[in-house]
Amino acid sequence: MPHPNDPKLRSFIDVAPTSDFPIQNLPYGVFSANGLAPRVGVAIGDYVLDLWELEQDLAARCRAARRVLAAVAQRLHGAGAESVVGDAGADQ
């Protein structure tokens, strides 16, 4: 695995070579956009990754995955599926 400060590392986001925020320097900070309340983000080049939005997306994907797992377990194991996957079908 390359060292995180390796200058050869590149981001999937185009970052100017003179940027203060290349992939080797990803500062956290508080930002506000479009009239929304201030949130925490990470600067990548000229962009900010909104960590609240990322968390919301990941939480929704996890809930969907738990529902799928519960349905699969139910089909495989019948009524006792909850004991296999816990409370996987519950929205949290």
Side-chain angles (χ1 to χ4, degrees):
M1 174 169 238
H3 191 277
N5 290 327
D6 184 344
K8 294 180 216 150
L9 288 178
R10 297 289 176 252
S11 171
F12 61 92
I13 296 173
D14 289 330
V15 177
T18 57
S19 173
D20 291 329
F21 308 118
I23 194 71
Q24 297 84 357
N25 179 28
L26 301 177
Y28 290 84
V30 176
F31 74 100
S32 182
N34 301 324
L36 298 173
R39 300 198 259 219
V40 175
V42 177
I44 305 174
D46 293 334
Y47 301 93
V48 174
L49 174 61
D50 184 336
L51 296 180
W52 184 85
E53 285 290 342
L54 180 62
E55 190 277 333
Q56 295 301 303
D57 182 60
L58 292 174
R61 290 174 189 240
C62 286
R63 286 190 298 270
R66 285 193 298 269
R67 286 191 294 272
V68 168
L69 285 173
V72 168
Q74 184 72 29
R75 286 199 77 158
L76 292 174
H77 302 290
E82 290 74 23
S83 64
V84 175
V85 294
D87 195 18
D91 284 339
Q92 296 185 21

